[in-house]
Amino acid sequence: MGTLVSGFSRPGAAVFLLAENRLLREALLRILSKKDDIQVVGAGSYGPDMFEQIVSTHANVVVLDSVAPVLAEHGVVRELHQLNPAIRVVMVGMETDEAIFLRVVQAGAVGYILKDASAVEVARTIRAVAAGEAVCPAALSFLLFQWVARYKPAIPSLHLKNRLGLSRREQQLVGLIQQGLTNKEMAGRLNLSEQTVKNHVHRMLRKVGAPDRLSIVEVCRNEGLNV
């Protein structure tokens, strides 16, 4: 189902193209393969083994062409973030539909490219998200500012910081605890020392008033964190 593109050693974004449309996959592959700082490490369509393919390529950017799997109950973006929090998701070939755009952002995508975008815009977006930035069309950026201003009390990271005192790192650990990872496994996932993770967990127990690790997850879920 997937195509692994090997023999590359160039620096920059490592991209996996996850697209149902074969013509789009091939077009993106042709475009991106010409960029010295973008490495297409794999390509495939949606299916049961897509996550295994993506993980095996060590991609840090995944390009998607369909909203449906992203917005499903157990969406693609959430699964990718659980596999590797460092993966950045870019939606390509999208519409200017405001409701869909906001739902995709809430799902966790950090790049949104409209269907009439140029090859230059696609490459620029991939470079930006690989560098830790978020990109959306200018026509939709004002809408995003409006949404944040209107619903900021409901944003989990800010809410949990203000109400429970959990830092961003501690909130990140909540999701890993929910997966059943040990301190050692969480340390490896986040490139931290095991002792650092242990210290974080002890502080989290104190902050939320939880008797054990799993209770931390339950408290945070009740406060609106999507875990």
Side-chain angles (χ1 to χ4, degrees):
M1 180 179 68
T3 301
L4 180 63
V5 183
S6 59
F8 290 81
S9 59
R10 299 181 304 219
V15 180
F16 191 98
L17 304 174
L18 185 58
E20 195 65 38
N21 187 312
R22 180 178 177 180
L23 292 178
L24 177 61
R25 285 203 311 269
E26 293 176 349
L28 288 172
L29 181 58
R30 286 194 300 271
I31 291 169
L32 299 178
S33 295
K34 298 176 182 179
K35 310 300 180 183
D36 291 336
D37 58 344
I38 296 177
Q39 177 182 357
V40 180
V41 295
S45 57
Y46 298 94
D49 63 342
M50 60 184 177
F51 296 115
E52 181 180 347
Q53 290 184 60
I54 294 169
V55 171
S56 69
T57 63
H58 303 289
N60 61 3
V61 177
V62 176
V63 176
L64 306 180
D65 74 334
S66 177
V67 161
V70 175
L71 302 183
E73 182 178 358
H74 300 290
V76 170
V77 179
R78 181 177 179 183
E79 292 287 344
L80 288 173
H81 284 171
Q82 289 181 342
L83 290 171
N84 182 356
I87 289 178
R88 302 290 184 261
V89 173
V90 174
M91 306 296 303
V92 64
M94 298 293 104
E95 302 285 347
T96 55
D97 185 287
E98 295 182 354
I100 289 179
F101 169 67
L102 290 177
R103 290 181 65 195
V104 166
V105 170
Q106 288 177 289
V110 294
Y112 196 85
I113 305 173
L114 299 180
K115 61 183 181 182
D116 59 352
S118 67
V120 171
E121 290 173 312
V122 173
R124 184 187 299 131
T125 298
I126 289 173
R127 292 188 186 103
V129 300
E133 301 176 15
V135 180
C136 72
L140 294 172
S141 61
F142 182 66
L143 173 70
L144 188 57
F145 277 98
Q146 286 183 313
W147 181 82
V148 171
R150 186 179 305 128
Y151 296 106
K152 63 181 179 179
I155 299 176
S157 61
L158 296 179
H159 176 68
L160 292 178
K161 172 66 176 177
N162 295 333
R163 185 173 177 83
L164 299 178
L166 294 183
S167 67
R168 287 184 179 274
R169 175 66 78 190
E170 289 166 347
Q171 292 179 45
Q172 192 175 24
L173 286 170
V174 174
L176 300 181
I177 292 173
Q178 190 274 336
Q179 296 177 48
L181 271 62
T182 65
N183 288 348
K184 183 177 181 179
E185 290 169 332
M186 291 191 290
R189 184 76 66 88
L190 299 176
N191 294 318
L192 301 172
S193 72
E194 187 174 353
Q195 184 60 49
T196 297
V197 171
K198 184 177 180 180
N199 292 341
H200 275 305
V201 172
H202 280 309
R203 283 194 294 268
M204 292 162 70
L205 288 168
R206 185 176 66 253
K207 287 178 179 180
V208 306
D212 53 56
R213 294 158 63 97
L214 291 180
S215 296
I216 295 175
V217 177
E218 189 61 31
V219 170
C220 291
R221 184 180 288 120
N222 291 338
E223 291 292 339
L225 186 63
N226 187 22
V227 294

